[in-house]
Amino acid sequence: MSNPDEITRNWRSPVRVAIVGTGGIARIHLEALRELNDRALVVAAVDIDGDRARSFANRHGIAHAGTDLRRAMAQTAPDLVHVYPAGCARGPGAEALAAGAHVLVEKPPALSLRELDKLATAGAFGTVFQHRFGSGARRLRALLAAGVLGRPLLAVCETSWYRTQEYYDVPWRGRWDTEGGGPTMGHGIHQMDLMLAVLGDWAEVRAVARRQARRVDTEDVSLAHVTFDSGAVATVVNSVVSPREESRLRFDFEHATVEVTHLYGYGDDDWRIAPAPGHEERVALAWKAGAAGVASGHRAQFDEVLAAVAGGAPPPVEVAEARRTLSLVAGIYASAFTGRPVTPADLGPGSVFYDRMQGSGPPWEMA
């Protein structure tokens, strides 16, 4: 096998892709890859269920199917391995990195900060956080960097979704050992990642988590107050018990409010901007001149992933960015479990929350 440091070989176009995990999300990713003008060639489908892997491969015209990733990589030589099960560090993602391939892993990239740090030493990998790549988010970040919006002051980050008890009756759902947490880890992480991509490093979090309505091991609701290094503050809500579903991010800057409301993905029309008095013309002109026309789907991120891999670079979102998001998730759980404010420094190797999102155990009992 190749040394994991030897990732500067001549990458090819189209980029050869192996898919590990052939459940429902794999089809969405495959369709997004095939929309990118033959820049990707899916050469293998791998799953612990061989019949499912073969069915997926037959349905989508993929030449290799099986249960053994090592064999698939030896026979098909993928440049990039897409890994869909959570917790890639303790399984196929680490194996693919050790073989010299780039890896793109669905969120969350690992089930603990320790797992993520271990994975970071293995090679070049990225995490699927597609909301960063829509033109609305690009426009917002460009205006902030240019000073058009002024300092960030206040944010609201809401993932208010609804999942039935039947959804959680699937054996692996709603469990710490298989999903790493509830909606804080598995649902709201996308909105929190975009919030962090805009506001930067967080400094402190105070949070509560509850099991309000679902029979699960994890929480079904969490609420947090987050302070950032910049001095900005934010409220964060993650829920799977909200019948009127909505994903919402609101940023109040010195010179404007910028807001996006959607459910599972946004387009340009989902964004709104309200300039502060005295800043109307500059803000409106800059917003109108910004990036446009790209929705926040997987295709937007995969476009950049393929370009990076074809050039021998790590796929975005790289580990430092993904770690910042996962550390906020860990901080929310740590604060909720201990009843105390938590900083990033509290989540190092000496913390039980570095090893497990639930620490030594959940702080609530099922009613």
Side-chain angles (χ1 to χ4, degrees), residues 237-310:
V237 175
N238 300 295
S239 167
V240 287
V241 298
S242 304
R244 188 183 72 78
E245 296 185 283
E246 182 176 76
S247 302
R248 175 173 173 253
L249 277 164
R250 171 178 172 141
F251 300 95
D252 291 328
F253 302 96
E254 287 181 300
H255 303 156
T257 291
V258 183
E259 185 175 17
V260 61
T261 304
H262 63 101
L263 187 52
Y264 301 135
Y266 62 77
D268 288 342
D269 291 344
D270 297 313
W271 289 82
R272 295 171 299 283
I273 186 164
H279 299 275
E280 293 89 347
E281 183 175 2
R282 185 185 184 207
V283 168
L285 287 174
W287 184 258
K288 185 176 181 180
V294 179
S296 66
H298 294 95
R299 176 176 174 172
Q301 182 170 357
F302 293 174
D303 182 36
E304 295 208 9
V305 167
L306 295 180
V309 172

Side-chain angles (χ1 to χ4, degrees), residues 113 202-205 229 323 327 331 341-351 354:
L113 291 171
W202 65 277
E204 183 183 271
V205 61
D229 284 354
R323 194 188 193 285
S327 75
V342 170
T343 71
D346 297 324
L347 300 172
S351 167
Y354 180 76

Side-chain angles (χ1 to χ4, degrees), residues 137-153 195 197-200 251 253-254 258 287:
R138 291 183 180 279
R139 188 184 316 191
L140 168 57
R141 294 174 73 182
L143 266 62
L144 180 59
V148 174
L149 300 175
R151 289 190 302 115
L153 306 175
M195 176 185 69
V198 173
L199 297 181
F251 300 95
F253 302 96
E254 287 181 300
V258 183
W287 184 258

Side-chain angles (χ1 to χ4, degrees), residues 110-133:
L111 299 188
S112 71
L113 291 171
R114 181 180 293 280
E115 283 189 3
L116 187 60
D117 287 348
K118 180 180 179 181
L119 186 63
T121 67
F125 82 98
T127 301
V128 177
F129 284 126
Q130 70 270 22
H131 289 343
R132 290 174 176 238
F133 296 87

Side-chain angles (χ1 to χ4, degrees), residues 19 22 43-47 49-59 61-69 71-72 75-76:
I19 290 177
T22 56
V43 296
V46 179
D47 199 292
D49 185 329
D51 289 338
R52 185 165 63 185
R54 286 184 287 272
S55 175
F56 182 86
N58 291 337
R59 190 162 59 251
I62 300 169
H64 180 96
T67 60
D68 189 326
L69 176 58
R71 178 179 298 175
Q75 294 182 359
T76 65

